[in-house]
Amino acid sequence: PYTKHKKLSKSYSAEDIKNILNSDVFILLTNKTPGFGSTTELGVALAAFELTKKPIVYVVGDHIETNMFYFHPAVNLRKTVETVIKEIK
């Protein structure tokens, strides 16, 4: 679908990166098969954290075996979104 909608894809991807860079918290919900977009978003969040110490990065769910970057020192692994919400309040 991205090649059919190149202008939208370009705009949305640039906006997504800016939003991650300006966020205080980044939450990635794991999936049995990781998506390419979520992997890129996690990379942006980790790079931003390395440079600025924000956002706080959470990886949530049961499928933590699918990506080595889920074990980066900046990542907070949690089982549920509810746990994250309690922590960030």
Side-chain angles (χ1 to χ4, degrees):
Y2 302 119
T3 54
K4 270 188 165 181
H5 306 284
K6 290 178 186 175
K7 281 187 176 182
L8 278 177
S9 296
K10 183 183 276 192
S11 173
Y12 289 164
S13 63
E15 182 180 344
D16 194 27
I17 298 296
K18 287 178 190 172
N19 288 334
I20 294 167
L21 293 174
N22 290 315
S23 67
D24 294 319
V25 177
F26 174 85
I27 301 171
L28 183 142
L29 304 176
T30 64
N31 195 319
K32 194 171 187 174
T33 306
F36 293 105
S38 63
T39 301
T40 302
E41 291 167 341
L42 176 62
V44 171
L46 290 174
F49 183 86
E50 288 293 322
L51 295 171
T52 67
K53 299 303 178 213
K54 66 178 246 187
I56 299 169
V57 179
Y58 288 95
V59 171
V60 179
D62 293 325
H63 303 289
I64 60 169
E65 74 285 348
T66 60
N67 189 322
M68 86 170 169
F69 288 99
Y70 294 170
F71 299 93
H72 185 279
V75 170
N76 298 283
L77 290 171
R78 299 295 182 267
K79 285 286 189 184
T80 68
V81 172
E82 291 78 19
T83 303
V84 175
I85 291 169
K86 286 178 186 175
E87 287 183 25
I88 61 176
K89 278 189 173 182

